[in-house]
Amino acid sequence: MADGEGWPTSTDNPAVRRLSDWPAEPLRDLADEFGTPLYALDLDRVKANTGRLRSAFPEADLSYAVKANTTRPVLETLANRGVGAECAAAGEVQRSLAAGFPPHRVRYTAVNPPARDLDYVCGLDDAGGMILTVGAMDTLNRVAERGFDGRLCVRINPGVGAGHHAKVSTGAEPKFGVPYDRAATVARRAADRGFELVGLHAHAGSGIAGDDLSDHRELVRRMGALAADVEDRLDFVAVGGGFGVPYREDDPALDLDAVAAATREAYAEGWRGGANDTAPPQLAIEPGRYFVADAGVLLTTVNTVKPTPETTVVGVDAGMTTLVRPAMYGSYHAIRGLEPDTPRRELVPCDVSGPVCETADVLGRDRSLPDPARGDLLAVGNAGAYGYEMSSNYNSRPRPAVVAVEHGEPRLVARRETLADVTRFEAEAEDS
Ligand SMILES: *Cc1c(COP(=O)(O)O)cnc(C)c1O
């Protein structure tokens, strides 16, 4: 999209929105109005991503793993579209209910849940409508102690992992879920204890990519086979999220239809392997990243330009406290200059570095950027997922502001934190 054009229209629905597809002028306007660092989220792109997921998986139950981005307008947008909420903590359940997800569309998947989380969830008036997913017999006991008698789902450790990085692969990590070969027993025991067992669940981590779907197929096949092995009639079998998005400019977009076809085939294969001639439980998917990653950019301003023998260090006002993925996972995020004269500037090799006193605080190394100057506005791509959500106050740094844009109209979603916000809890402790 060239300068001067408006927001991409919602009738455009390409498989991916690249950083280069965002219009520069409206992003500059947002930075002028709201300051930087600033997360900008395009809700129309969230809707478009939802539409593509729905058309690739028309038969599946679709949920959103809310931990990717819990800002209110994102949750409202998806709740309004009948998408379910997959929650990993009590706070996510609270936000999802507040944003309008009906209780029966909310699943809480407890991973080593703190007592406070279970107290909250089991104490909700509408807990009966929700689905609680447990990944250990021990959790099942704790839930029973709290009188929960609602719908239950058992999380399985499928023993196969997807993932572009060991830290985001959960499929073979013993922390997550009941071991595969004990799963049928645990599921039966849950049913025997009077829980309404409605589903089985597995999530292998993030990074399903088009070139190799073999791990994903194997996970889905195993889940189909397990469903056939559990005597109870289940409502659904959830096979997780992890649908990849291209972070590098030249990575191909995920072929959703191919993923859907592989999922469908593997599921039927696993189910029929159990010699079943009935229809299997409904398939359920729960992407997080895919809904929101390319619907968001991070805007940041250059504050320091330092030529060094190795490279030009471009110091910006966003860093690992704003977007931690590069520091935490070594993730790549595209970075682009947004100044109107960008096309006329010479390209210079740069490291784009944040203001935090940590070596890891680099948003991008060895980038080629239009000759940077202090005050330039830069955009960081694919920042809609696990961006604001993972931001922190390390270095006593206030967290950034967030704006949501719908039909080209911006509105503030989260105000920028102030220095007073950063010390608020200590101040309150002193006053109390
Ligand atoms: C994080 C998570 C997801 C979503 O992962 P993405 O890579 O964002 O799609 C799905 N299910 C569970 C249980 C998760 O914890």
Side-chain angles (χ1 to χ4, degrees):
M1 184 124 334
D3 274 16
E5 289 185 48
W7 289 88
T9 64
S10 48
T11 48
D12 289 346
N13 196 351
V16 63
R17 184 190 286 178
R18 309 264 178 196
L19 181 57
S20 55
D21 297 330
W22 288 78
E25 195 180 297
L27 291 179
R28 286 198 300 268
D29 291 345
L30 290 179
D32 284 346
E33 186 173 349
F34 299 98
T36 62
L38 178 73
Y39 277 103
L41 288 167
D42 184 356
L43 298 176
D44 294 311
R45 182 62 188 165
V46 176
K47 295 172 203 166
N49 290 341
T50 310
R52 286 196 320 288
L53 283 164
R54 276 251 162 77
S55 39
F57 288 91
E59 80 283 28
D61 177 76
L62 180 62
S63 285
Y64 167 54
V66 305
K67 72 177 188 290
N69 187 319
T70 58
T71 54
R72 182 72 173 241
V74 168
L75 297 183
E76 285 172 352
T77 297
L78 294 174
N80 287 340
R81 276 164 180 71
V83 174
E86 163 66 34
C87 302
E92 293 183 359
V93 171
Q94 186 180 44
R95 283 177 186 270
S96 298
L97 293 172
F101 287 95
H104 72 275
R105 297 292 289 140
V106 175
R107 291 203 303 257
Y108 167 50
T109 299
V111 179
N112 303 336
R116 243 181 240 115
D117 283 43
L118 290 184
D119 291 345
Y120 169 78
V121 169
C122 295
L124 283 171
D125 281 345
D126 30 27
M130 285 175 36
I131 295 175
L132 228 136
T133 305
V134 299
M137 257 326 268
D138 195 34
T139 308
L140 193 64
N141 294 334
R142 293 168 74 203
V143 166
E145 280 164 20
R146 286 168 173 79
F148 180 82
D149 60 357
R151 296 187 296 163
L152 193 86
C153 172
V154 175
R155 180 166 186 172
I156 312 299
N157 187 326
V160 278
H164 52 87
H165 187 283
K167 281 186 197 155
V168 291
S169 171
T170 60
E173 158 64 50
K175 169 173 167 180
F176 299 101
V178 174
Y180 188 78
D181 50 9
R182 291 194 45 220
T185 313
V186 172
R188 274 185 221 114
R189 216 180 293 170
D192 291 347
R193 291 186 51 176
F195 286 107
E196 190 192 345
L197 180 69
V198 293
L200 299 177
H201 170 270
H203 167 68
S206 297
I208 296 174
D211 45 351
D212 183 10
L213 295 174
S214 56
D215 275 359
H216 175 68
R217 271 180 194 274
E218 181 55 15
L219 176 146
V220 175
R221 194 195 60 74
R222 287 187 192 194
M223 293 302 286
L226 188 62
D229 201 27
V230 172
E231 282 122 62
D232 276 84
R233 179 69 210 159
L234 301 167
D235 291 345
F236 68 89
V237 173
V239 296
F243 296 68
V245 298
Y247 280 92
R248 289 179 186 270
E249 292 93 327
D250 50 0
D251 278 351
L254 185 68
D255 183 347
L256 262 192
D257 292 325
V259 176
T263 306
R264 223 167 271 137
E265 265 170 42
Y267 188 52
E269 192 188 310
W271 177 255
R272 275 197 312 270
N276 255 294
D277 47 15
T278 54
Q282 187 180 25
L283 194 68
I285 56 168
E286 52 191 35
R289 184 187 318 275
Y290 196 88
F291 279 100
V292 286
D294 71 355
V297 294
L298 170 62
L299 301 176
T300 185
T301 304
V302 175
N303 53 41
T304 310
V305 177
K306 182 167 72 171
T308 71
E310 299 84 17
T311 186
T312 296
V313 176
V314 181
V316 295
D317 61 4
M320 64 188 288
T321 56
T322 332
L323 176 70
V324 77
R325 298 187 72 257
M328 185 163 169
Y329 306 121
S331 309
Y332 182 97
H333 283 263
I335 301 176
R336 169 184 160 205
L338 292 177
E339 295 306 315
D341 66 350
T342 285
R344 292 186 296 280
R345 295 198 204 176
E346 191 192 340
L347 292 177
V348 174
C350 302
D351 280 3
V352 179
S353 294
V356 179
C357 193
E358 291 282 343
T359 313
D361 185 36
V362 178
L363 292 177
R365 281 190 199 281
D366 299 326
R367 302 306 173 84
S368 190
L369 285 178
D371 194 14
R374 198 193 317 143
D376 282 358
L377 185 65
L378 304 182
V380 182
N382 269 342
Y386 306 109
Y388 184 65
E389 209 58 34
M390 294 178 100
S391 62
S392 79
N393 287 128
Y394 180 48
N395 268 210
S396 293
R397 197 154 283 290
R399 298 197 307 151
V402 183
V403 289
V405 181
E406 193 164 23
H407 314 311
E409 288 299 316
R411 81 186 127 115
L412 189 65
V413 172
R415 70 159 170 83
R416 179 177 312 290
E417 288 180 358
T418 62
L419 289 180
D421 290 323
V422 173
T423 51
R424 195 175 91 212
F425 300 116
E426 288 109 300
E428 286 174 7
E430 273 174 26
D431 292 345
S432 67

